[in-house]
Amino acid sequence: MIRDDIKAATITAMKAKEKERTATLRQISAKIKDRDIEERTSGKNIPDDELVTSVLQKMAKQRRESITMYVDGGREELAENERAELEIIEEFLPQMMSEEETRSAIAEVKASIGADSIKDMGRVMAELKARHGSKMDMSTASALVKNSF
């Protein structure tokens, strides 16, 4: 499980006295705990690896957006900190599908549900998320689905 890998990495980083890595791993653990509490109160039952992966994907997306903003604002030192955190977060993310694999999955889903117009985009995206949610970048998939019609 990804959660166990994160705990083990945190302990290893603490023993190695890697302050930045430890801080990032603790931040990841805190976000996961927040999401656990959120899910517990909502009554939903999401598999653990899916929950952890969604938290990591959200954190990675936030880091990418921050890097862009910092670079645009001329704050390269802050962008470098975000890059370091992003690198640690990405260690625990499952390998994402390539653009070709994503295109193939979109074609498969469109054929299986009979999608033939932009009006079916919501159904296509829902099915893609159900089948490949943890391995597919949904923002990229959204653009590819839109262009495929």
Side-chain angles (χ1 to χ4, degrees):
M1 288 177 31
I2 300 171
R3 187 184 302 253
D4 296 335
D5 294 342
I6 293 169
K7 286 180 185 176
T10 304
I11 292 169
T12 303
M14 286 170 36
K15 287 180 180 178
K17 296 185 182 358
E18 298 172 332
K19 290 181 183 178
E20 291 82 15
R21 183 172 173 81
T22 302
T24 302
L25 291 167
R26 285 181 172 163
Q27 190 176 31
I28 292 169
S29 295
K31 292 284 186 188
I32 292 169
K33 285 179 186 174
D34 288 346
R35 183 71 183 272
D36 284 340
I37 293 167
E38 189 179 301
E39 293 303 315
R40 201 174 327 134
T41 58
S42 72
K44 296 179 184 173
N45 191 11
I46 298 175
D48 192 57
D49 276 354
E50 268 185 49
L51 182 134
V52 173
T53 300
S54 71
V55 169
L56 291 172
Q57 286 173 333
K58 184 175 181 180
M59 290 180 75
K61 181 179 178 185
Q62 290 170 339
R63 297 307 177 283
R64 287 186 197 100
E65 290 170 356
S66 295
I67 290 168
T68 303
M69 289 190 322
Y70 288 143
V71 168
D72 290 348
R75 300 295 307 266
E76 193 57 43
E77 69 282 356
L78 294 174
E80 198 54 46
N81 291 342
E82 295 292 319
R83 283 187 194 101
E85 287 183 10
L86 178 61
E87 191 175 305
I88 293 168
I89 292 167
E90 287 178 339
E91 286 178 29
F92 301 100
L93 278 171
Q95 185 64 38
M96 299 304 270
M97 294 173 76
S98 69
E99 188 171 325
E100 273 308 307
E101 292 171 325
T102 302
R103 287 181 194 275
S104 172
I106 290 168
E108 181 183 315
V109 168
K110 281 175 63 177
S112 71
I113 66 172
D116 56 0
S117 73
I118 195 75
K119 291 178 182 178
D120 298 320
M121 184 172 170
R123 287 184 22 223
V124 172
M125 290 303 295
E127 188 64 25
L128 282 171
K129 187 166 186 162
R131 291 186 191 183
H132 308 287
S134 64
K135 298 178 289 185
M136 184 181 287
D137 180 6
M138 297 312 284
S139 59
T140 303
S142 176
L144 292 173
V145 169
K146 191 177 285 187
N147 291 334
S148 72
F149 288 114

